[in-house]
Amino acid sequence: MLSFRKAVLVIALLSLTACGFRPLHGHTQEVSSTATDQLALIKIEQIPDRIGQEFRNALLDRLTPKGQPSKPRYFLRVSVTETIQELGIRKDETATRANFRLHVEYALYDSITREAVFKSKKKTIGSYNIVTSDFATLTAEKDIRKRLILKVSDNIKTSLAIHLSRHNLAVR
């Protein structure tokens, strides 16, 4: 029985190589630079407002943790909007719950041609309780904002890495 399991495991691993699977962040013979190296060539433009600052900082931590490139190959434009929708209205017309929505549009541009290489949108939503303490409600709102910013910035990093590795744009 044990040898049957080993045989199934070997077949499963061999089938991964046949389907074109290759690691996103690893070196292969086909791709001469990793996704991390390609992401490090992106300059992130300023994003207005406080949420834009927080979002840009999260992107900097994920895309260029060693600092912005001196000679960027790409630049990233991001616009961020947030909305709060109050839910769970009581008889006295006070809300007990709120949805925090984060909408992000971003585009990756070639720094030489100034043409868009990749565009996308990300939307996410999180909820928090509105309680009688203003401090507790504000803290909950800040917490959900931070968690959603981290979630979307991780998604953007993954989307850009996949796009750059598929199109092998950074290596010319």
Side-chain angles (χ1 to χ4, degrees):
M1 188 67 159
L2 187 60
S3 62
F4 176 73
R5 288 182 184 173
K6 286 182 181 179
V8 170
L9 180 63
V10 169
I11 291 170
L13 291 174
L14 289 175
S15 67
L16 280 178
T17 60
C19 73
F21 172 80
R22 60 187 167 130
L24 182 61
H25 297 286
H27 287 284
T28 64
Q29 293 175 352
E30 299 169 12
V31 181
S32 60
S33 82
T34 65
T36 305
D37 295 339
Q38 293 177 13
L39 291 174
L41 298 173
I42 298 173
K43 178 183 179 190
I44 304 164
E45 293 188 343
Q46 298 294 328
I47 308 170
D49 300 325
R50 178 65 184 147
I51 191 161
Q53 291 174 340
E54 292 174 9
F55 197 81
R56 184 172 184 270
N57 288 339
L59 285 172
L60 286 170
D61 289 344
R62 279 149 186 75
L63 300 180
T64 58
K66 295 180 182 177
Q68 293 255 24
S70 58
K71 294 181 182 179
R73 179 71 182 97
Y74 306 100
F75 61 94
L76 184 67
R77 282 195 185 137
V78 181
S79 66
V80 181
T81 54
E82 64 180 346
T83 56
I84 297 174
Q85 177 187 18
E86 294 183 344
L87 307 167
I89 308 297
R90 292 186 196 148
K91 288 182 182 180
D92 64 352
E93 296 183 9
T94 59
T96 59
R97 190 112 175 116
N99 279 346
F100 187 93
R101 297 175 191 266
L102 193 62
H103 178 80
V104 180
E105 293 184 33
Y106 62 99
L108 185 68
Y109 293 89
D110 187 297
S111 63
I112 298 169
T113 65
R114 301 284 185 202
E115 292 182 16
V117 175
F118 180 72
K119 290 183 179 183
S120 188
K121 297 177 184 179
K122 303 284 184 194
K123 294 179 185 179
T124 189
I125 187 169
S127 298
Y128 62 95
N129 289 328
I130 300 174
V131 294
T132 55
S133 168
D134 290 339
F135 177 76
T137 300
L138 184 61
T139 302
E141 181 182 322
K142 284 182 178 181
D143 180 60
I144 196 68
R145 177 185 289 118
K146 182 179 180 180
R147 286 190 287 134
L148 293 180
I149 286 172
L150 295 176
K151 177 181 176 181
V152 174
S153 61
D154 283 336
N155 288 340
I156 288 175
K157 175 187 175 182
T158 302
S159 296
L160 291 173
I162 290 170
H163 179 77
L164 290 174
S165 67
R166 280 186 183 160
H167 294 90
N168 204 11
L169 296 171
V171 182
R172 287 189 182 176

